[in-house]
């Protein structure tokens, strides 16, 4: 635990801890979603993690043709 | 008389006195104006005031269950703006904010399209001064683009109103059919103000160029007025679901790469409007309640986030992620309030975003719109990424920027604390909040499934960001301009039109030259022929030549005409 905090930082480790707690919570109670696909175990967790990675990936790939110099419009 | 006075109008008229009052008294006076305006909200539902001009009934004050929540939040926002801007000693922005808020409130209570048009344009003309108050050459240019787009929207609205008046003989503000011409014109007018995809350029262009106080006011009224109008006139229009889903989706990627944090917030604003538009498109009672609740909550947390960034801009002079960082130790209260705004917009349970967004998500689930549901769920993770984490992280934490500053002025702090408190209170007491919604509702956002599902989604999205940052995969923020749909009229059209105009000018010159040459040559030829053959014993004058040439043209036309018989 101490190694994790040392390597990963206090805040980061606590977020990881929260992630684990919310996963465990699902195992204790019965969670059901608005749609049947959501009923899979840990679906929101996977969905949230993957969405964030996808957004990041697409965002970074858009940099090459959407990002221009700061004075682009002033030229 | 005073009891029939439309809400907001007193603020517009009262704003004329603001320049003549000294600084602090001015703020108290403005607060009193807002309070007087709220009195009209106690009159209950119905049409309270109308005037007949030129044979047309202008319905100035009409209240119903939909206008009430918007009127309440607009008044709260106006009061918060007065507090937030109290440090500003000059009267110009105060006049602008007061009349702008008043115009938006009056617009909400308009009962017909022509009254709405007047206030619609009034919001544009009063708010443009807030962008000019940015006091840079950029903001000056941006303000002109802003007013052009806003007036265009107004023209569409006016055109729609006139067509409707000619067709139906009245222009009452009711539900419109999207398949009619007037419906389409009005739809475009609302769509421009609601920053629909590809019509959204003005939003990201102008808002971040405004002054620190101006952006807070701007973020509240114009776009939410459009949302109100959609809810009133186009509830249940299926096209809105598609447009809204795209709106929630695509600004996320722009927000992720944008460097100016206030511009990130405008993309996020655009994405939040998408949630409301989807809900209006569904059109069920639950969905409309969701749209209104979301607009209400959104004005508070988005205003709070803009206040936080405004405070940073006021103290540091920049809002660029690449230049900020480590401000938490200098501006702890601003940081905490911004984080509360960020948590609210991310829709964490016990905060306002959660109780509002849950209504929309449930409405989508109930209607079985699975694809749109997942697009919005994806967008929710996106909101956490760009507004929930990026805004507070890059401003107050991230790397040490070396900037030394002090906490925001007291009035800013007070406004931020009030907004934060409201965000939390709405989150804790949803049933009280739901009472102001247009339709009666029996909804419980805090059940096990909702809470655990949402917490998993958000914490894991946050964890993904942490991994990206910790393992240095996240690229550094760069000083840059991110291209948006305003590129079309800022770069592409001038890029195409200016060379095209130059080409036309060149061709015109060439044409004139050819004409002149041919004219002289014909004249010479005719003179020669006439003199040689002794038709006339004099030279050909210009008048003869013109007659001959017109005659020739006619002959040619008649000759060509033969082939088309």
């Amino acid at each position: 635990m101490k190694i994790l905090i040392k390597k990963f930082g206090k805040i980061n480790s606590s977020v990881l801890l929260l992630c684990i707690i919310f996963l465990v919570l699902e195992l204790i109670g019965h969670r059901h979603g608005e749609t049947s696909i959501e009923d899979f175990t840990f679906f929101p967790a996977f969905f949230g993690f993957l969405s964030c990675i996808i957004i990041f990936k697409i965002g970074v790939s858009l940099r090459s043709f959407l990002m221009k110099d700061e004075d682009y419009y002033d030229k | 008389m005073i009891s029939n006075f439309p809400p907001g109008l007193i603020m517009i008229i009262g704003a004329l006195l603001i320049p003549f009052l000294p600084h602090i008294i001015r703020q108290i006076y403005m607060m009193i104006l807002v309070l007087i305006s709220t009195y009209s909200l106690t009159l209950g539902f119905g049409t309270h005031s109308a005037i007949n001009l030129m044979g047309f009934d202008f319905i100035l004050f009409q209240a119903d269950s939909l206008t009430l929540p918007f009127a309440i939040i607009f008044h709260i926002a106006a009061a918060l703006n007065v507090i937030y801007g109290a440090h500003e000693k000059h009267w110009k922005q105060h006049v602008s904010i007061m009349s702008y808020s008043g115009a938006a409130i009056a617009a909400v209570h308009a009962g017909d399209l022509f009254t709405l048009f007047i206030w619609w344009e009034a919001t544009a003309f009063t708010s443009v001064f807030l962008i000019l108050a940015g006091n840079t050459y950029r903001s000056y240019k941006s303000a002109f683009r802003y007013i052009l787009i806003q007036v265009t929207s107004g023209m569409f609205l006016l055109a729609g109103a006139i067509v409707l008046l000619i067709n139906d003989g009245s222009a009452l503000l009711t539900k419109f059919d999207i398949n009619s011409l007037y419906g389409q014109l009005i739809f475009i007018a609302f769509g421009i103000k609601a920053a629909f995809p590809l019509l959204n350029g003005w939003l990201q262009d102008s808002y971040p160029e405004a002054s620190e106080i101006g952006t807070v006011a701007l973020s509240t009224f114009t776009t939410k007025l459009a949302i109100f109008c959609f809810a009133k006139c186009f509830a249940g229009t299926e096209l809105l679901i598609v447009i809204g889903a795209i709106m929630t989706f695509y600004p996320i990627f722009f927000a992720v790469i944008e460097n100016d944090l206030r511009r990130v917030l405008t993309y996020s604003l655009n994405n939040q409007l998408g949630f409301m538009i989807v809900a209006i498109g569904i059109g069920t009672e639950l969905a409309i309640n969701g749209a209104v609740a979301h607009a209400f909550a959104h004005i508070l947390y988005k205003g709070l986030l803009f206040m936080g960034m405004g405070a940073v801009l006021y103290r540091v002079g920049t809002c660029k992620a690449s230049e900020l960082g480590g401000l938490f130790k200098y501006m702890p209260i601003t940081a905490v309030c911004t984080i509360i705004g960020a948590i609210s917009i991310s829709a964490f349970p016990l905060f306002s975003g959660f109780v509002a967004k849950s209504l929309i998500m449930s409405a989508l689930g109930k209607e079985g719109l699975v694809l749109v549901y997942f697009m919005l769920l994806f967008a929710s993770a996106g909101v956490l990424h760009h507004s929930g984490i990026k805004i507070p992280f890059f401003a107050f934490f991230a790397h040490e920027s070396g900037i030394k500053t002090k906490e925001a002025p007291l009035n800013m702090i007070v406004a931020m604390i009030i907004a934060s408190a409201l965000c939390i209170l709405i989150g804790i007491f949803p049933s009280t909040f739901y009472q102001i919604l247009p339709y009666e509702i029996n909804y419980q956002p805090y059940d096990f499934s909702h809470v655990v599902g949402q917490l998993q989604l958000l914490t894991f999205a946050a964890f993904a960001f942490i991994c990206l940052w910790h393992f240095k995969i996240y690229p550094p923020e760069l000083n840059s301009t991110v291209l948006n749909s305003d590129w079309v009229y800022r770069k592409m059209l001038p890029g195409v039109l200016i060379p095209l105009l130059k080409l036309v000018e060149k061709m015109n010159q060439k044409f004139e030259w050819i004409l002149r040459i041919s004219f002289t040559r014909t004249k010479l030829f005719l003179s020669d022929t006439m003199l040689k053959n002794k038709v006339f014993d004099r030279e050909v004058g210009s008048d003869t030549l013109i007659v001959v040439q017109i005659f020739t043209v006619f002959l040619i036309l008649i000759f060509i005409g033969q082939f088309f018989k």
Side-chain angles (χ1 to χ4, degrees):
Chain A
M1 194 67 191
K2 269 184 186 170
I3 301 165
L4 182 79
I5 292 174
K6 205 176 174 186
K7 275 201 163 173
F8 210 46
K10 254 186 209 168
I11 296 174
N12 296 357
S13 311
S14 45
V15 172
L16 182 63
L17 185 71
L18 281 175
C19 287
I20 296 165
I21 290 172
F22 297 138
L23 288 183
V24 174
L25 264 180
E26 177 164 344
L27 297 176
I28 296 167
H30 172 70
R31 184 188 64 78
H32 63 88
E34 298 285 353
T35 60
S36 53
I37 308 170
E38 270 184 287
D39 292 346
F40 281 110
T41 321
F42 303 148
F43 177 84
F46 282 116
F47 194 86
F49 191 86
L50 279 178
S51 305
C52 202
I53 301 286
I54 292 169
I55 288 164
F56 167 78
K57 277 282 169 200
I58 297 178
V60 168
S61 61
L62 283 177
R63 274 185 169 217
S64 57
F65 68 95
L66 282 181
M67 219 177 206
K68 302 285 173 193
D69 288 341
E70 209 171 14
D71 56 350
Y72 175 74
Y73 284 121
D74 304 327
K75 280 177 195 164
Chain B
M1 176 61 200
I2 187 79
S3 64
N4 290 335
F5 217 63
L9 192 59
I10 187 82
M11 288 157 74
I12 302 170
I13 299 168
L16 298 173
L17 252 181
I18 291 174
F20 307 105
L21 297 172
H23 177 221
I24 293 298
I25 294 174
R26 184 193 300 148
Q27 300 306 118
I28 298 167
Y29 168 71
M30 281 158 63
M31 207 50 129
I32 292 170
L33 284 180
V34 178
L35 278 175
I36 295 173
S37 176
T38 51
Y39 170 75
S40 310
L41 305 186
T42 59
L43 294 178
F45 300 154
T47 304
H48 297 293
S49 155
I51 51 166
N52 189 294
L53 276 179
M54 296 177 290
F56 183 81
D57 278 326
F58 287 86
I59 301 166
L60 300 178
F61 181 9
Q62 188 190 49
D64 56 37
S65 58
L66 187 63
T67 61
L68 184 68
F70 280 92
I72 293 174
I73 190 61
F74 278 4
H75 278 101
I76 293 174
L80 282 175
N81 284 334
V82 172
I83 302 171
Y84 186 75
H87 64 281
E88 173 65 34
K89 290 196 172 70
H90 205 281
W91 54 266
K92 276 185 194 163
Q93 290 195 63
H94 296 301
V95 175
S96 180
I97 290 179
M98 198 40 40
S99 47
Y100 174 41
S101 323
I105 292 167
V108 165
H109 294 94
D112 66 281
L113 278 168
F114 289 99
T115 312
L116 178 68
F117 166 75
I118 293 166
W119 299 130
W120 194 261
E121 294 292 45
T123 54
F125 282 102
T126 46
S127 60
V128 72
F129 295 101
L130 296 172
I131 301 164
L132 284 170
N135 225 1
T136 59
Y137 185 57
R138 270 180 174 221
S139 63
Y140 169 77
K141 279 166 66 178
S142 182
F144 273 91
R145 287 191 293 271
Y146 171 81
I147 196 75
L148 264 176
I149 304 274
Q150 298 299 314
V151 169
T152 310
S153 156
M155 289 301 114
F156 274 104
L157 182 62
L158 185 62
I162 292 170
V163 175
L164 179 64
L165 187 67
I166 292 167
N167 279 4
D168 293 7
S170 88
L172 289 179
L173 205 60
T174 49
K175 214 164 169 297
F176 297 132
D177 180 13
I178 182 75
N179 297 316
S180 59
L181 175 65
Y182 62 83
Q184 285 156 4
L185 287 167
I186 296 166
F187 191 85
I188 295 170
F190 293 172
I192 293 173
K193 280 221 185 194
F196 273 3
L198 304 181
L199 301 175
N200 65 332
W202 65 271
L203 180 69
Q204 287 84 22
D205 173 21
S206 56
Y207 281 17
E209 301 298 341
S211 66
E212 75 279 356
I213 316 167
T215 317
V216 178
L218 285 163
S219 77
T220 306
F221 299 108
T222 304
T223 47
K224 256 60 75 187
L225 175 60
I227 293 295
F228 163 80
C229 292
F230 270 119
K232 185 142 187 157
C233 304
F234 291 102
T237 307
E238 279 182 11
L239 179 64
L240 286 175
I241 300 178
V242 182
I243 295 173
I246 299 169
M247 257 168 103
T248 53
F249 206 70
Y250 96 110
I252 297 171
F253 307 112
F254 291 81
V256 168
I257 50 177
E258 179 58 56
N259 182 39
D260 185 329
L261 292 180
R262 288 204 300 171
R263 196 157 271 130
V264 172
L265 285 177
T266 57
Y267 281 114
S268 154
L269 199 164
N270 213 170
N271 143 285
Q272 295 287 306
L273 293 172
F275 280 89
M276 299 169 214
I277 292 289
V278 166
I280 294 167
I282 301 168
T284 57
E285 288 193 357
L286 180 64
I288 295 294
N289 273 345
V292 176
H294 202 239
F296 195 103
H298 165 85
I299 287 173
L300 288 170
Y301 56 63
K302 184 59 72 180
L304 177 56
L305 285 167
F306 271 118
M307 283 182 200
M309 287 306 103
V312 169
L313 180 74
Y314 180 71
R315 282 293 188 224
V316 182
T318 181
C319 246
K320 289 175 190 156
S322 53
E323 290 167 19
L324 293 173
L327 292 180
F328 183 80
K329 51 179 180 279
Y330 301 109
M331 307 177 86
I333 304 173
T334 309
V336 169
C337 290
T338 310
I339 291 169
I340 291 174
I343 295 174
S344 300
I345 198 172
S346 310
F348 270 93
L350 296 181
F351 290 85
S352 60
F354 178 75
V355 298
K357 208 185 271 179
S358 296
L359 290 171
I360 299 176
M361 298 310 270
S362 292
L364 274 170
K366 274 208 175 101
E367 295 302 308
L369 297 160
V370 180
L371 179 68
V372 182
Y373 178 84
F374 282 107
M375 280 173 87
L376 263 58
L377 206 61
F378 179 82
S380 302
V383 173
L384 177 90
H385 188 127
H386 60 69
S387 289
I389 300 175
K390 187 172 174 173
I391 296 289
F393 182 70
F394 283 106
F396 302 107
F397 306 97
H399 46 77
E400 191 58 54
S401 62
I403 297 169
K404 286 187 173 60
T405 184
K406 51 182 180 179
E407 186 54 271
L410 181 66
N411 63 300
M412 283 188 173
I413 291 176
V414 171
M416 286 191 280
I417 288 176
I418 295 172
S420 309
L422 287 171
C423 284
I424 297 169
L425 284 174
I426 290 173
I428 296 176
F429 304 107
S431 49
T432 317
F433 169 56
Y434 289 158
Q435 279 174 11
I436 61 160
L437 298 180
Y439 300 105
E440 223 169 277
I441 184 172
N442 184 20
Y443 183 84
Q444 182 47 259
Y446 291 115
D447 65 7
F448 181 79
S449 299
H450 264 132
V451 173
V452 172
Q454 184 72 358
L455 285 172
Q456 274 189 16
L457 180 89
L458 294 175
T459 46
F460 271 86
F463 184 64
F465 181 89
I466 286 170
C467 289
L468 291 170
W469 184 259
H470 185 79
F471 296 111
K472 300 202 168 36
I473 305 168
Y474 205 96
E477 294 295 320
L478 300 169
N479 282 344
S480 59
T481 303
V482 175
L483 301 187
N484 189 12
S485 61
D486 56 342
W487 176 82
V488 173
Y489 55 81
R490 289 176 74 179
K491 268 287 185 205
M492 194 192 88
L493 284 183
V496 175
L497 282 183
I498 290 173
L500 207 70
L501 280 175
K502 277 187 179 158
L503 190 74
V504 169
E505 201 187 343
K506 238 182 198 170
M507 278 167 68
N508 187 37
Q509 279 172 359
K510 195 100 181 163
F511 181 69
E512 267 180 23
W513 182 75
I514 292 170
L515 213 65
R516 218 177 303 134
I517 293 281
S518 70
F519 197 80
T520 332
R521 280 190 184 163
T522 321
K523 195 177 163 187
L524 275 174
F525 171 73
L526 282 176
S527 293
D528 280 357
T529 325
M530 286 182 176
L531 283 175
K532 226 183 259 171
N533 301 334
K534 302 261 191 265
V535 179
F536 289 115
D537 199 12
R538 63 178 176 89
E539 275 196 19
V540 176
S542 294
D543 41 356
T544 323
L545 194 63
I546 289 169
V547 171
V548 169
Q549 290 206 338
I550 290 173
F551 183 64
T552 317
V553 170
F554 267 110
L555 268 182
I556 293 169
L557 285 177
I558 290 166
F559 179 71
I560 293 169
Q562 296 297 318
F563 295 100
F564 293 97
K565 266 188 178 168

